[in-house]
Every structure is written in structure tokens, then in C-alpha cells.
Amino acid sequence: MQEKIIADHILEKMTLDNVFNILNDNLFAFLNQEEIDYCKDLQEFCLELDPKIDKTKDVYVLFPELGKKGYMQRINKWKDFTPYGMKKEMLLGLHLSCLDSQLELARLASGILCGNPTFHYFHHGGESPEVAKIQDELMSGQKVGCICITEPERGSDAVNMTTQCMKIDDGVIYNGEKVFTTNGPKADYFATYGVYDTSNPRGTMVQAMIKREMGVKTNRLTINAVPRVHIAHTFFENVKVPADYILGDDGMGYSRLFEGLVPERLGIVGSGLGICWTALIYGIIYTNLRRQFGQEVGNFQGVGFSLADLLSQISSATALSFSAATIYDEKVLFAEKKSGAAEKWVAGISSQGKYLVSKLTHKTCYTVQQQMGGISVTDNTLVDELTDTSKIEEVIGGARNIQLFIIQNALRRYKKIL
Ligand SMILES: Cc1cc2nc3c(=O)[nH]c(=O)nc-3n(C[C@H](O)[C@H](O)[C@H](O)COP(=O)(O)OP(=O)(O)OC[C@H]3O[C@@H](n4cnc5c(N)ncnc54)[C@H](O)[C@@H]3O)c2cc1C
């Protein structure tokens, strides 16, 4: 904090501990005992790490701390860290956003967007010891990962990518350019998509885990909203990727890309829920203590009704998101026989959830700032940092309209049953 103007008696209550107390009052009713215990462990971890976070430093110094507890991701089982699954991942993202929303953004890119493809690879029978080593390094937080899908001319239209792959005897050569690579400037590993034939991307897409030393170049983009996260313009110029690093070849890259999208979107929903709850709770704490016209400002209906409205929306969004995660766990991730109907439903609902929650992060932060007044745009509270991160939530993982595009496509299918 550069210059303090917030009153001491309010500042001493604006703590992560109090955020969790109010969160638990609203959250635990949604959870079973195993999930409650998992949240309590997470909260203990966050409360211990919180005083050690130096906001003048990049978030990457904190990755090994997450890795020690198996918190780089929790969808998949890694080492003996339990419990795991989609709902646990959502709860992880939620809590880490309460702790540090920029750390959570970078963690999701490394642990889920880059890490998940390694789990999918082994799930589908892959055996490369190189990939096993990469997975361990990413999960322990010792190394940083990123995902390279978006290109300068292929954003929402990601499938029609132009990054060109060429097969050689012992691997694949990549040539192309990617943008918005979250963690890119710091990354050791790049989960990268390219195609053998740009006129047939679905049939020829390749997914590879590329090491920086193979020749990847990155330039950092200036993105003011998240200064502690590095986001890159990434170049692959005749980058030779040995066969051991190819996760999905000859069109398999396309199915792996789509396999990753659902957990990725649900993961982003978890981060978004954390932003919503944290901003709202800081708003509740502050307006319960700040006095004007002889009383606490939260007593004025103009303030209190607005926060009540947000609470109703965030509770509803939380219920929807937890249902989606639970159904994904029960009928897809842990199911002996995956339910096709559930897979389809979760694919749709993950877009609905991503659309709803990421938009709600923005609305919540904006509204809370209006209700808290001037203090909320200073660095005396965390709310302005949450507002900045909320800008990214809407665009990362597919912009708002692309979620609506996916949802609309599903609506169009109903014509067939009329
Ligand atoms: C901070 C940040 C981090 C990111 N991290 C990563 C990352 O780690 N890896 C990665 O690969 N990508 C990443 N992205 C890229 C992100 O997924 C893209 O920005 C997103 O997919 C949209 O692409 P675009 O920005 O090129 O927009 P465009 O596709 O050019 O879209 C421009 C506008 O047109 C709309 N639009 C496009 N097509 C349609 C349509 N058919 N119907 C209606 N509206 C449409 C869009 O919604 C948008 O409003 C990140 C982006 C940002 C900003």
C-alpha cells in the first residue's frame, strides 16, 4: 500500500480470514463433508501463504508453494494428493482467486491449460517418459507451462489455425506465430497446436509439448490489467519437436483440443466465482463498517439492496457451477462408462457457466466499487485488482460471444425434434 487513507478499524477487518468466514457461511451448505474438509485445508494454506505474497513480484515465485501441496491443479490425480476431480478443481480456483487473482490466472494456465494435456495423453495410453517428467515439473510448480492456440489472425476461429506442421523421420517441425500466450515469457513448456494441412485442420491437427530450448521465442505483451502475469507473442521458426513430445498426431490434436475445453472452461468458472465472492465480501465488510450521515452505509437501501442483488446472483451462479462440476465428475470423469448425454450437456453448460460467471465477475467488481466509493479504486483494498483481473476472465478461454455462439448452436439443433 503506497499511501493509507482507509480507517484502521476497517482495515483490520478487511482480512482474508474474514473473507473465508463469510464465504463459508454461504458456501458450506452447498458442500458435503469431504468437500468442506478440503476447503478448510485450502483456507489454512491460503492464510499461511497470504502474508508471504509480495505484490511487487511476479506470481511465478509462488508456484513451488502451490506445487508442494498439489495445488497446481486438482482435476487429475497427481502423486498422492487427494481428493481430486472437477469440483475440487473448481473449489481450488475459487479459493486461489480469494487469495490472489493474478496468481490464480497464471496457475490455471500452467496447471490446467498446459498440464491437463499431459494427463489426457497418459489416459489415452501414451508412454513417453519425457512427458511424465514434464508433468511432474509442471505439477510441482518447479517449471512454468502455457498453451498456444490463439494466433494473430485466428482468435475465436481457433480451429482454422495457420501454424504449420511438417512431419520428419523422428518428429515434427513447427512454423507459426501465436498470441496471448498466458505465462509465455516465463514458460519452460508450450502446449502447442498446429496442422499439417491448413485446408483440413480437423483431420491433421497436432498437439505437442514443446520445450523452450527447442527454439521457441517469446516477446512480452503489455497488458496493464494483470501486471504480475506475463503474456506473450510467441514464435515458432523451424522448431523441431522430437516424437517423444508429440501428444496427439494426425488429427488427434483436434480431439484433444476439444477434450480440454470443458475442464478448461469449468476451471475458469472456478476462478471467476472466487473473484465474485471476494469482491462482494470485501464490499459487505466495508459497507458494514463505513459510516456516513450517522450510520453504516450498508444500512442505506441504495447500498444494501444492490449487494443483496449481487449475493442472489452469485449464489445462483455458484449452484449452477457446482452442479455442472458434480455431473462432470459423476458421469464423465469418474464414470466406468462415460455418458454421452452427460458429456454433451456438460459441454453446453460449461459455456453457459463461463459466459454467466465471467460476466458476473465484471458486474460484481464494478457494482461493489460504486457501493464502496473512492476507497475501492485505491490500493487500500483488493477490489480494484479484482476488477482488473475480471477484464481478463471475460476474454480468456473464449470471448463472451463465442460462448453464446456455442450455446446458440445447441439451440439450433432443436429444430430437428420439432
Ligand atoms: C489476457 C489474455 C490471455 C489469454 N490467454 C490465452 C492463452 O494462454 N492461450 C491462447 O491460446 N489464447 C489465449 N487468449 C486468447 C483468447 O482466447 C482470445 O482472445 C479469444 O479467443 C478471442 O480471440 P480474439 O481476441 O482474437 O478476438 P476475435 O476472434 O478477433 O473476436 C473479436 C470480436 O468478435 C467476436 N466474434 C468473433 N467471432 C464471432 C462469431 N462467430 N459470432 C459472434 N461474435 C464473434 C468476438 O466475440 C469478439 O467480441 C488470451 C487472451 C487474453 C486477452
Side-chain angles (χ1 to χ4, degrees), residues 14-29:
M14 299 282 278
T15 61
L16 189 59
D17 206 11
N18 277 335
V19 168
F20 287 147
N21 287 336
I22 297 174
L23 179 71
N24 294 348
D25 205 44
N26 288 277
L27 203 67
F28 281 2

mmCIF file with all atom_site columns, all heavy atoms in Angstrom, residues 14-29:
data_model
loop_
_atom_site.group_PDB
_atom_site.id
_atom_site.type_symbol
_atom_site.label_atom_id
_atom_site.label_alt_id
_atom_site.label_comp_id
_atom_site.label_asym_id
_atom_site.label_entity_id
_atom_site.label_seq_id
_atom_site.pdbx_PDB_ins_code
_atom_site.Cartn_x
_atom_site.Cartn_y
_atom_site.Cartn_z
_atom_site.occupancy
_atom_site.B_iso_or_equiv
_atom_site.pdbx_formal_charge
_atom_site.auth_seq_id
_atom_site.auth_comp_id
_atom_site.auth_asym_id
_atom_site.auth_atom_id
_atom_site.pdbx_PDB_model_num
ATOM 1   N N   . MET A 1 14 ? -10.629 -6.074  7.028  1.00 0.00 ? 14 MET A N   1
ATOM 2   C CA  . MET A 1 14 ? -10.607 -6.450  5.602  1.00 0.00 ? 14 MET A CA  1
ATOM 3   C C   . MET A 1 14 ? -9.558  -7.546  5.389  1.00 0.00 ? 14 MET A C   1
ATOM 4   O O   . MET A 1 14 ? -8.578  -7.358  4.662  1.00 0.00 ? 14 MET A O   1
ATOM 5   C CB  . MET A 1 14 ? -10.260 -5.223  4.732  1.00 0.00 ? 14 MET A CB  1
ATOM 6   C CG  . MET A 1 14 ? -11.241 -4.072  4.846  1.00 0.00 ? 14 MET A CG  1
ATOM 7   S SD  . MET A 1 14 ? -12.753 -4.299  3.912  1.00 0.00 ? 14 MET A SD  1
ATOM 8   C CE  . MET A 1 14 ? -12.231 -3.792  2.293  1.00 0.00 ? 14 MET A CE  1
ATOM 9   N N   . THR A 1 15 ? -9.750  -8.664  6.042  1.00 0.00 ? 15 THR A N   1
ATOM 10  C CA  . THR A 1 15 ? -8.734  -9.723  6.005  1.00 0.00 ? 15 THR A CA  1
ATOM 11  C C   . THR A 1 15 ? -9.249  -10.947 5.252  1.00 0.00 ? 15 THR A C   1
ATOM 12  O O   . THR A 1 15 ? -10.465 -11.167 5.145  1.00 0.00 ? 15 THR A O   1
ATOM 13  C CB  . THR A 1 15 ? -8.385  -10.175 7.437  1.00 0.00 ? 15 THR A CB  1
ATOM 14  O OG1 . THR A 1 15 ? -9.596  -10.683 8.031  1.00 0.00 ? 15 THR A OG1 1
ATOM 15  C CG2 . THR A 1 15 ? -7.844  -9.026  8.268  1.00 0.00 ? 15 THR A CG2 1
ATOM 16  N N   . LEU A 1 16 ? -8.287  -11.744 4.795  1.00 0.00 ? 16 LEU A N   1
ATOM 17  C CA  . LEU A 1 16 ? -8.643  -12.990 4.115  1.00 0.00 ? 16 LEU A CA  1
ATOM 18  C C   . LEU A 1 16 ? -9.397  -13.916 5.070  1.00 0.00 ? 16 LEU A C   1
ATOM 19  O O   . LEU A 1 16 ? -10.312 -14.643 4.669  1.00 0.00 ? 16 LEU A O   1
ATOM 20  C CB  . LEU A 1 16 ? -7.356  -13.664 3.599  1.00 0.00 ? 16 LEU A CB  1
ATOM 21  C CG  . LEU A 1 16 ? -7.548  -14.863 2.690  1.00 0.00 ? 16 LEU A CG  1
ATOM 22  C CD1 . LEU A 1 16 ? -8.336  -14.515 1.439  1.00 0.00 ? 16 LEU A CD1 1
ATOM 23  C CD2 . LEU A 1 16 ? -6.188  -15.462 2.301  1.00 0.00 ? 16 LEU A CD2 1
ATOM 24  N N   . ASP A 1 17 ? -9.004  -13.873 6.323  1.00 0.00 ? 17 ASP A N   1
ATOM 25  C CA  . ASP A 1 17 ? -9.679  -14.678 7.339  1.00 0.00 ? 17 ASP A CA  1
ATOM 26  C C   . ASP A 1 17 ? -11.176 -14.353 7.382  1.00 0.00 ? 17 ASP A C   1
ATOM 27  O O   . ASP A 1 17 ? -12.030 -15.250 7.372  1.00 0.00 ? 17 ASP A O   1
ATOM 28  C CB  . ASP A 1 17 ? -9.032  -14.324 8.697  1.00 0.00 ? 17 ASP A CB  1
ATOM 29  C CG  . ASP A 1 17 ? -9.162  -15.457 9.679  1.00 0.00 ? 17 ASP A CG  1
ATOM 30  O OD1 . ASP A 1 17 ? -9.546  -16.552 9.244  1.00 0.00 ? 17 ASP A OD1 1
ATOM 31  O OD2 . ASP A 1 17 ? -8.886  -15.234 10.875 1.00 0.00 ? 17 ASP A OD2 1
ATOM 32  N N   . ASN A 1 18 ? -11.496 -13.057 7.396  1.00 0.00 ? 18 ASN A N   1
ATOM 33  C CA  . ASN A 1 18 ? -12.908 -12.665 7.404  1.00 0.00 ? 18 ASN A CA  1
ATOM 34  C C   . ASN A 1 18 ? -13.594 -13.004 6.089  1.00 0.00 ? 18 ASN A C   1
ATOM 35  O O   . ASN A 1 18 ? -14.779 -13.345 6.070  1.00 0.00 ? 18 ASN A O   1
ATOM 36  C CB  . ASN A 1 18 ? -13.044 -11.167 7.717  1.00 0.00 ? 18 ASN A CB  1
ATOM 37  C CG  . ASN A 1 18 ? -12.996 -10.914 9.212  1.00 0.00 ? 18 ASN A CG  1
ATOM 38  O OD1 . ASN A 1 18 ? -13.316 -11.811 10.001 1.00 0.00 ? 18 ASN A OD1 1
ATOM 39  N ND2 . ASN A 1 18 ? -12.589 -9.714  9.602  1.00 0.00 ? 18 ASN A ND2 1
ATOM 40  N N   . VAL A 1 19 ? -12.834 -12.892 4.966  1.00 0.00 ? 19 VAL A N   1
ATOM 41  C CA  . VAL A 1 19 ? -13.426 -13.289 3.672  1.00 0.00 ? 19 VAL A CA  1
ATOM 42  C C   . VAL A 1 19 ? -13.861 -14.755 3.769  1.00 0.00 ? 19 VAL A C   1
ATOM 43  O O   . VAL A 1 19 ? -14.988 -15.111 3.406  1.00 0.00 ? 19 VAL A O   1
ATOM 44  C CB  . VAL A 1 19 ? -12.410 -13.098 2.512  1.00 0.00 ? 19 VAL A CB  1
ATOM 45  C CG1 . VAL A 1 19 ? -12.903 -13.777 1.227  1.00 0.00 ? 19 VAL A CG1 1
ATOM 46  C CG2 . VAL A 1 19 ? -12.168 -11.610 2.252  1.00 0.00 ? 19 VAL A CG2 1
ATOM 47  N N   . PHE A 1 20 ? -12.980 -15.607 4.298  1.00 0.00 ? 20 PHE A N   1
ATOM 48  C CA  . PHE A 1 20 ? -13.322 -17.032 4.395  1.00 0.00 ? 20 PHE A CA  1
ATOM 49  C C   . PHE A 1 20 ? -14.477 -17.264 5.375  1.00 0.00 ? 20 PHE A C   1
ATOM 50  O O   . PHE A 1 20 ? -15.330 -18.113 5.135  1.00 0.00 ? 20 PHE A O   1
ATOM 51  C CB  . PHE A 1 20 ? -12.087 -17.858 4.795  1.00 0.00 ? 20 PHE A CB  1
ATOM 52  C CG  . PHE A 1 20 ? -11.069 -17.996 3.683  1.00 0.00 ? 20 PHE A CG  1
ATOM 53  C CD1 . PHE A 1 20 ? -9.704  -18.074 3.954  1.00 0.00 ? 20 PHE A CD1 1
ATOM 54  C CD2 . PHE A 1 20 ? -11.467 -18.072 2.359  1.00 0.00 ? 20 PHE A CD2 1
ATOM 55  C CE1 . PHE A 1 20 ? -8.774  -18.216 2.937  1.00 0.00 ? 20 PHE A CE1 1
ATOM 56  C CE2 . PHE A 1 20 ? -10.538 -18.207 1.316  1.00 0.00 ? 20 PHE A CE2 1
ATOM 57  C CZ  . PHE A 1 20 ? -9.190  -18.282 1.614  1.00 0.00 ? 20 PHE A CZ  1
ATOM 58  N N   . ASN A 1 21 ? -14.510 -16.503 6.478  1.00 0.00 ? 21 ASN A N   1
ATOM 59  C CA  . ASN A 1 21 ? -15.620 -16.690 7.428  1.00 0.00 ? 21 ASN A CA  1
ATOM 60  C C   . ASN A 1 21 ? -16.958 -16.439 6.757  1.00 0.00 ? 21 ASN A C   1
ATOM 61  O O   . ASN A 1 21 ? -17.919 -17.205 6.922  1.00 0.00 ? 21 ASN A O   1
ATOM 62  C CB  . ASN A 1 21 ? -15.476 -15.737 8.627  1.00 0.00 ? 21 ASN A CB  1
ATOM 63  C CG  . ASN A 1 21 ? -14.361 -16.184 9.550  1.00 0.00 ? 21 ASN A CG  1
ATOM 64  O OD1 . ASN A 1 21 ? -14.008 -17.365 9.564  1.00 0.00 ? 21 ASN A OD1 1
ATOM 65  N ND2 . ASN A 1 21 ? -13.782 -15.252 10.296 1.00 0.00 ? 21 ASN A ND2 1
ATOM 66  N N   . ILE A 1 22 ? -17.021 -15.347 5.991  1.00 0.00 ? 22 ILE A N   1
ATOM 67  C CA  . ILE A 1 22 ? -18.301 -15.015 5.333  1.00 0.00 ? 22 ILE A CA  1
ATOM 68  C C   . ILE A 1 22 ? -18.557 -15.975 4.167  1.00 0.00 ? 22 ILE A C   1
ATOM 69  O O   . ILE A 1 22 ? -19.688 -16.412 3.939  1.00 0.00 ? 22 ILE A O   1
ATOM 70  C CB  . ILE A 1 22 ? -18.302 -13.529 4.888  1.00 0.00 ? 22 ILE A CB  1
ATOM 71  C CG1 . ILE A 1 22 ? -18.191 -12.624 6.131  1.00 0.00 ? 22 ILE A CG1 1
ATOM 72  C CG2 . ILE A 1 22 ? -19.551 -13.189 4.086  1.00 0.00 ? 22 ILE A CG2 1
ATOM 73  C CD1 . ILE A 1 22 ? -18.033 -11.136 5.853  1.00 0.00 ? 22 ILE A CD1 1
ATOM 74  N N   . LEU A 1 23 ? -17.482 -16.330 3.459  1.00 0.00 ? 23 LEU A N   1
ATOM 75  C CA  . LEU A 1 23 ? -17.626 -17.289 2.347  1.00 0.00 ? 23 LEU A CA  1
ATOM 76  C C   . LEU A 1 23 ? -18.205 -18.610 2.869  1.00 0.00 ? 23 LEU A C   1
ATOM 77  O O   . LEU A 1 23 ? -19.169 -19.143 2.307  1.00 0.00 ? 23 LEU A O   1
ATOM 78  C CB  . LEU A 1 23 ? -16.252 -17.533 1.709  1.00 0.00 ? 23 LEU A CB  1
ATOM 79  C CG  . LEU A 1 23 ? -16.229 -18.524 0.545  1.00 0.00 ? 23 LEU A CG  1
ATOM 80  C CD1 . LEU A 1 23 ? -16.891 -17.930 -0.694 1.00 0.00 ? 23 LEU A CD1 1
ATOM 81  C CD2 . LEU A 1 23 ? -14.791 -18.931 0.204  1.00 0.00 ? 23 LEU A CD2 1
ATOM 82  N N   . ASN A 1 24 ? -17.626 -19.103 3.964  1.00 0.00 ? 24 ASN A N   1
ATOM 83  C CA  . ASN A 1 24 ? -18.053 -20.409 4.486  1.00 0.00 ? 24 ASN A CA  1
ATOM 84  C C   . ASN A 1 24 ? -19.534 -20.400 4.855  1.00 0.00 ? 24 ASN A C   1
ATOM 85  O O   . ASN A 1 24 ? -20.242 -21.394 4.670  1.00 0.00 ? 24 ASN A O   1
ATOM 86  C CB  . ASN A 1 24 ? -17.223 -20.804 5.712  1.00 0.00 ? 24 ASN A CB  1
ATOM 87  C CG  . ASN A 1 24 ? -15.765 -21.046 5.327  1.00 0.00 ? 24 ASN A CG  1
ATOM 88  O OD1 . ASN A 1 24 ? -15.453 -21.130 4.145  1.00 0.00 ? 24 ASN A OD1 1
ATOM 89  N ND2 . ASN A 1 24 ? -14.883 -21.144 6.318  1.00 0.00 ? 24 ASN A ND2 1
ATOM 90  N N   . ASP A 1 25 ? -19.978 -19.270 5.371  1.00 0.00 ? 25 ASP A N   1
ATOM 91  C CA  . ASP A 1 25 ? -21.383 -19.135 5.746  1.00 0.00 ? 25 ASP A CA  1
ATOM 92  C C   . ASP A 1 25 ? -22.293 -19.308 4.525  1.00 0.00 ? 25 ASP A C   1
ATOM 93  O O   . ASP A 1 25 ? -23.424 -19.761 4.637  1.00 0.00 ? 25 ASP A O   1
ATOM 94  C CB  . ASP A 1 25 ? -21.575 -17.730 6.340  1.00 0.00 ? 25 ASP A CB  1
ATOM 95  C CG  . ASP A 1 25 ? -22.750 -17.673 7.282  1.00 0.00 ? 25 ASP A CG  1
ATOM 96  O OD1 . ASP A 1 25 ? -22.877 -18.604 8.091  1.00 0.00 ? 25 ASP A OD1 1
ATOM 97  O OD2 . ASP A 1 25 ? -23.543 -16.720 7.165  1.00 0.00 ? 25 ASP A OD2 1
ATOM 98  N N   . ASN A 1 26 ? -21.766 -18.951 3.378  1.00 0.00 ? 26 ASN A N   1
ATOM 99  C CA  . ASN A 1 26 ? -22.556 -19.022 2.150  1.00 0.00 ? 26 ASN A CA  1
ATOM 100 C C   . ASN A 1 26 ? -22.271 -20.278 1.321  1.00 0.00 ? 26 ASN A C   1
ATOM 101 O O   . ASN A 1 26 ? -23.078 -20.658 0.482  1.00 0.00 ? 26 ASN A O   1
ATOM 102 C CB  . ASN A 1 26 ? -22.279 -17.795 1.277  1.00 0.00 ? 26 ASN A CB  1
ATOM 103 C CG  . ASN A 1 26 ? -22.901 -16.547 1.854  1.00 0.00 ? 26 ASN A CG  1
ATOM 104 O OD1 . ASN A 1 26 ? -24.090 -16.299 1.639  1.00 0.00 ? 26 ASN A OD1 1
ATOM 105 N ND2 . ASN A 1 26 ? -22.136 -15.784 2.618  1.00 0.00 ? 26 ASN A ND2 1
ATOM 106 N N   . LEU A 1 27 ? -21.089 -20.865 1.548  1.00 0.00 ? 27 LEU A N   1
ATOM 107 C CA  . LEU A 1 27 ? -20.630 -21.932 0.660  1.00 0.00 ? 27 LEU A CA  1
ATOM 108 C C   . LEU A 1 27 ? -20.885 -23.340 1.209  1.00 0.00 ? 27 LEU A C   1
ATOM 109 O O   . LEU A 1 27 ? -21.243 -24.248 0.463  1.00 0.00 ? 27 LEU A O   1
ATOM 110 C CB  . LEU A 1 27 ? -19.112 -21.765 0.460  1.00 0.00 ? 27 LEU A CB  1
ATOM 111 C CG  . LEU A 1 27 ? -18.497 -22.374 -0.777 1.00 0.00 ? 27 LEU A CG  1
ATOM 112 C CD1 . LEU A 1 27 ? -18.984 -21.673 -2.032 1.00 0.00 ? 27 LEU A CD1 1
ATOM 113 C CD2 . LEU A 1 27 ? -16.973 -22.284 -0.691 1.00 0.00 ? 27 LEU A CD2 1
ATOM 114 N N   . PHE A 1 28 ? -20.677 -23.501 2.510  1.00 0.00 ? 28 PHE A N   1
ATOM 115 C CA  . PHE A 1 28 ? -20.629 -24.860 3.049  1.00 0.00 ? 28 PHE A CA  1
ATOM 116 C C   . PHE A 1 28 ? -21.950 -25.617 2.879  1.00 0.00 ? 28 PHE A C   1
ATOM 117 O O   . PHE A 1 28 ? -21.947 -26.845 2.783  1.00 0.00 ? 28 PHE A O   1
ATOM 118 C CB  . PHE A 1 28 ? -20.169 -24.844 4.515  1.00 0.00 ? 28 PHE A CB  1
ATOM 119 C CG  . PHE A 1 28 ? -18.664 -24.684 4.669  1.00 0.00 ? 28 PHE A CG  1
ATOM 120 C CD1 . PHE A 1 28 ? -17.842 -24.528 3.556  1.00 0.00 ? 28 PHE A CD1 1
ATOM 121 C CD2 . PHE A 1 28 ? -18.063 -24.697 5.928  1.00 0.00 ? 28 PHE A CD2 1
ATOM 122 C CE1 . PHE A 1 28 ? -16.456 -24.369 3.691  1.00 0.00 ? 28 PHE A CE1 1
ATOM 123 C CE2 . PHE A 1 28 ? -16.678 -24.557 6.070  1.00 0.00 ? 28 PHE A CE2 1
ATOM 124 C CZ  . PHE A 1 28 ? -15.879 -24.384 4.940  1.00 0.00 ? 28 PHE A CZ  1
ATOM 125 N N   . ALA A 1 29 ? -23.051 -24.880 2.833  1.00 0.00 ? 29 ALA A N   1
ATOM 126 C CA  . ALA A 1 29 ? -24.336 -25.563 2.647  1.00 0.00 ? 29 ALA A CA  1
ATOM 127 C C   . ALA A 1 29 ? -24.390 -26.281 1.299  1.00 0.00 ? 29 ALA A C   1
ATOM 128 O O   . ALA A 1 29 ? -25.140 -27.248 1.130  1.00 0.00 ? 29 ALA A O   1
ATOM 129 C CB  . ALA A 1 29 ? -25.478 -24.554 2.749  1.00 0.00 ? 29 ALA A CB  1
#
